[in-house]
Amino acid sequence: MKKVVLKLDLHDDKAKQKAMKAVSSLSGVNSIAMDMKDKKLTVVGDVDPVDIVSKLRKGWHTDILTVGPAKEEKKEDGKKDEGKKDEKKDGDKKKDTDKQIQELVDAYKAYNPHLTRYYHVQSAEENPNACVIC
């Protein structure tokens, strides 16, 4: 994960929207933040800074201010407790995922009540009007 801070030559909100849309189209971008006061764009993710700059230089003058690792908060005291919590959370996440899938299936059934669950296959011998090309 990298944190890239760029200085852009933007003048209005429309240019800001276009710049953020251009950067968000790159794969590996986790978050984008724009400070219009200082005209700084902050991009966090697994993306190459050169790709970001080349994408933005098509429309605006772009300078790279800083490139570094993304800051992550770490707690050394809570590591022992986190392992136990993660095991419980994995079970809860699995249940939540199953529940969400069931809700989606129920919603689809309500949307399309003629949902086909079973397929009835007829052979040419059973139906004399069936067209068969041999």
Side-chain angles (χ1 to χ4, degrees):
M1 289 274 263
K2 293 180 185 175
K3 180 178 179 182
V4 182
V5 180
L6 306 165
K7 184 165 178 73
L8 291 174
D9 188 25
L10 299 175
H11 299 290
D12 57 355
D13 287 334
K14 190 170 185 178
K16 172 189 166 185
Q17 292 284 333
K18 287 183 179 181
M20 291 181 83
K21 186 175 181 181
V23 173
S24 67
S25 67
L26 295 171
S27 63
V29 175
N30 288 348
S31 68
I32 304 169
M34 182 72 191
D35 182 17
M36 284 300 286
K37 183 178 177 185
D38 296 331
K39 296 185 180 179
K40 291 182 182 178
L41 178 71
T42 305
V43 180
V44 177
D46 293 325
V47 65
D48 190 19
V50 176
D51 291 340
I52 299 171
V53 171
S54 64
K55 191 85 164 178
L56 290 172
R57 282 206 175 146
K58 292 177 183 175
W60 307 275
H61 178 72
T62 308
D63 293 326
I64 299 176
L65 296 179
T66 60
V67 176
K71 294 181 181 178
E72 298 178 1
E73 296 179 12
K74 296 182 180 178
K75 297 180 181 177
E76 295 178 9
D77 297 336
K79 284 186 179 180
K80 294 177 183 176
D81 295 336
E82 287 178 9
K84 294 177 184 175
K85 290 179 183 177
D86 288 340
E87 291 173 6
K88 292 178 183 176
K89 288 181 182 179
D90 289 340
D92 292 340
K93 287 180 183 178
K94 200 172 219 180
K95 290 178 184 176
D96 290 340
T97 305
D98 292 340
K99 187 181 274 188
Q100 287 176 348
I101 291 171
Q102 185 61 38
E103 288 175 2
L104 289 173
V105 169
D106 291 341
Y108 185 73
K109 285 180 184 176
Y111 175 74
N112 186 5
H114 303 291
L115 179 68
T116 57
R117 292 187 186 181
Y118 306 105
Y119 296 99
H120 182 69
V121 180
Q122 290 183 343
S123 66
E125 290 84 27
E126 292 175 8
N127 188 358
N129 294 329
C131 179
V132 178
I133 300 173
C134 296

